[in-house]
Amino acid sequence: MTAQTTPKGAWKITFLLFLFMLVNFADKIVVGLAGAPIMDELKLQPEQFGLLGSSFFLLFSISAIVVGFIVNRVATRWVLLAMAVIWSLAQFPMVGTVSFTTLLICRVILGAGEGPAFSVAAHAVYKWFPDEKRTLPTAILSQGSAFGVILAVPALNWIIVNHSWHYAFGALGVVGLMWVVAWMVMGKEGPLVQTVAMAAADPRVPYFQLLTSRTFIGCCAATFGAYWALSLGLTWFTPFIVKGLGFSQKDAGWISVLPWVFGAVVVLLTGWISQVMLARGFTTRGARGVLGSVPLIVGGVILAALPHVNGAGLQIAFLVIGSGLCGSIYVVCPPMLGEFTPVQQRGAVIAIYGAIYTLAGILAPWVMGSMIQHAAVPLDGYMTGFTINAVVLVVSGLLGLLLLWPNTERARLMALAAQPKFA
């Protein structure tokens, strides 16, 4: 087989999907960024605010699975468009006076709309790049999350400080609709899709075999740990800066950018290093599996040391580095799944993977809120929550090292698929 070339227009679509993920994460971060004024205005206890953070993920996983099967049959162009419309409309009710219940419902709806975002975007971009060229586009795609925070936090925080947290939600709704217009004009379906000849050479594998493969389980376990840290960052990082360390809302807005700047560097470096390793003959076990798992363990060890360092600056540095290292796993897991999953099943498998690891988003914010509410002083509760995060990261990284073997997975699954009992 000869290597496929990258179709014309692939990078334009990658950029549009990067913007798609940028809007996606700006939507996610706004509740955490406005956490202190929201808690003050609505008179919320830490457990209630933790529940608000968790509510976003209530239908997140279910939606991801449902839409994952839909994109096996419906063009990703239209699915992405519908999702962005839902995001935008879910923001506008917060512009006026709202109750905790209204805010909770809108976040649940937003989470349902955003649940499939990364998996559908990855499936869409993989229609523009052959397998050996997918790691860097995946890294760029995932960096929509970091830049969504880096660019949005200063602007949204300015709105929160100078006007109201209500208007920050409205601004995100407007930006989402702007992306909808741009996608309607320039969005296209990728040409690298399943053909009759490809289907004959790439038989369908039973989903049970795909979803119980060690690499799929390893991806879910490893990314679960990373997402635990991510969801804490989305919900609790800014409240920790304001209520735990005593910074002002204005200063906290700038500090809140730091984990995402560091994470962006980590992710882009991972994408580049992975492709260099592959070009030099490393197996995907090393260039993807090991490369993505080791930073989780290192990040967990750094977070475990956080409660034992003194000074706000040092504590912020440990938190930024420990949580930022987790980003490597997001770059390598979707391409690993794409290695051994037949094209006609890839959208669903990546979506189910996303649905499983984002369950961490339901647990982590609520666990942190519970730790804070029941601690003698709030800072002790935060430190307990970060210690739990450290344990989760180390365990998930070790599971990744044990289970991620994508270079041998495809041959094993194809051999199983070829056996008469699966006919």
Side-chain angles (χ1 to χ4, degrees):
M1 293 180 64
T2 58
Q4 290 178 295
T5 58
T6 303
K8 184 179 179 181
W11 290 108
K12 179 183 75 174
I13 296 298
T14 302
F15 178 69
L16 284 171
L17 293 174
F18 164 84
L19 294 178
F20 175 81
M21 293 304 299
L22 188 152
V23 175
N24 176 279
F25 264 77
D27 288 346
K28 285 184 174 73
I29 195 66
V30 67
V31 161
L33 184 63
I38 289 174
M39 282 190 276
D40 291 341
E41 181 177 323
L42 300 182
K43 297 179 174 57
L44 304 182
Q45 294 297 316
E47 278 189 335
Q48 287 178 295
F49 186 72
L51 177 62
L52 180 63
S54 296
S55 69
F56 178 84
F57 298 96
L58 186 62
L59 298 180
F60 198 91
S61 297
I62 296 172
S63 173
I65 294 173
V66 172
V67 175
F69 281 95
I70 290 174
V71 294
N72 282 344
R73 299 178 180 274
V74 178
T76 52
R77 180 188 180 191
W78 303 115
V79 176
L80 291 163
L81 185 69
M83 288 164 57
V85 170
I86 292 171
W87 305 353
S88 303
L89 297 181
Q91 302 290 6
F92 292 117
M94 268 76 77
V95 174
T97 302
V98 295
S99 65
F100 174 66
T101 302
T102 302
L103 184 54
L104 200 70
I105 291 170
C106 287
R107 294 301 287 180
V108 170
I109 294 171
L110 181 67
E114 294 197 348
F118 183 75
S119 57
V120 175
H123 184 54
V125 86
Y126 290 174
K127 295 182 180 182
W128 289 91
F129 293 90
D131 178 64
E132 68 276 7
K133 297 179 181 179
R134 287 175 182 165
T135 310
L136 186 57
T138 304
I140 293 171
L141 192 64
S142 67
Q143 278 322 284
S145 61
F147 281 91
V149 176
I150 293 167
L151 298 178
V153 162
L156 292 174
N157 200 55
W158 182 88
I159 295 172
I160 292 166
V161 171
N162 293 283
H163 297 281
S164 167
W165 62 268
H166 298 274
Y167 293 116
F169 283 89
L172 289 172
V174 172
V175 171
L177 291 177
M178 290 171 64
W179 186 88
V180 167
V181 173
W183 185 251
M184 287 178 67
V185 174
M186 294 182 284
K188 294 180 180 178
E189 199 74 5
L192 302 183
V193 295
Q194 187 87 333
T195 65
V196 174
M198 289 170 64
D202 200 15
R204 184 184 181 279
V205 177
Y207 277 104
F208 179 80
Q209 297 297 330
L210 291 170
L211 302 181
T212 56
S213 65
R214 63 181 177 181
T215 299
F216 179 85
I217 294 171
C219 278
C220 292
T223 318
F224 182 92
Y227 210 79
W228 189 287
L230 177 67
S231 57
L232 285 185
L234 290 170
T235 306
W236 282 110
F237 186 82
T238 307
F240 168 66
I241 299 300
V242 176
K243 293 183 176 290
L245 299 182
F247 286 84
S248 68
Q249 178 69 35
K250 183 179 179 180
D251 291 338
W254 293 106
I255 295 170
S256 297
V257 171
L258 296 178
W260 305 94
V261 173
F262 180 72
V265 173
V266 168
V267 167
L268 291 174
L269 273 176
T270 301
W272 177 73
I273 292 170
S274 177
Q275 293 206 171
V276 169
M277 290 176 69
L278 289 172
R280 293 183 178 180
F282 282 82
T283 66
T284 52
R285 157 71 178 167
R288 289 174 176 171
V290 175
L291 186 65
S293 299
V294 170
L296 291 171
I297 300 170
V298 176
V301 171
I302 292 172
L303 281 184
L306 175 62
H308 307 289
V309 299
N310 296 316
L314 200 56
Q315 289 175 339
I316 291 171
F318 272 57
L319 184 55
V320 166
I321 296 170
S323 57
L325 286 171
C326 304
S328 294
I329 199 69
Y330 298 110
V331 184
V332 296
C333 273
M336 281 193 283
L337 297 177
E339 280 184 61
F340 62 84
T341 305
V343 176
Q344 73 270 27
Q345 296 171 274
R346 186 177 61 209
V349 168
I350 293 177
I352 294 168
Y353 151 71
I356 293 172
Y357 78 71
T358 53
L359 291 173
I362 298 176
L363 295 172
W366 177 81
V367 169
M368 177 65 89
S370 181
M371 294 300 103
I372 296 166
Q373 185 154 331
H374 294 96
V377 294
L379 187 58
D380 289 346
Y382 281 109
M383 293 306 171
T384 302
F386 291 133
T387 301
I388 293 170
N389 188 12
V391 173
V392 172
L393 282 176
V394 171
V395 172
S396 66
L398 290 173
L399 288 172
L401 280 179
L402 179 67
L403 297 172
L404 295 175
W405 293 83
N407 52 312
T408 60
E409 203 76 81
R410 182 176 176 83
R412 185 182 69 82
L413 289 170
M414 290 299 157
L416 284 172
Q419 293 176 10
K421 61 181 178 180
F422 293 121

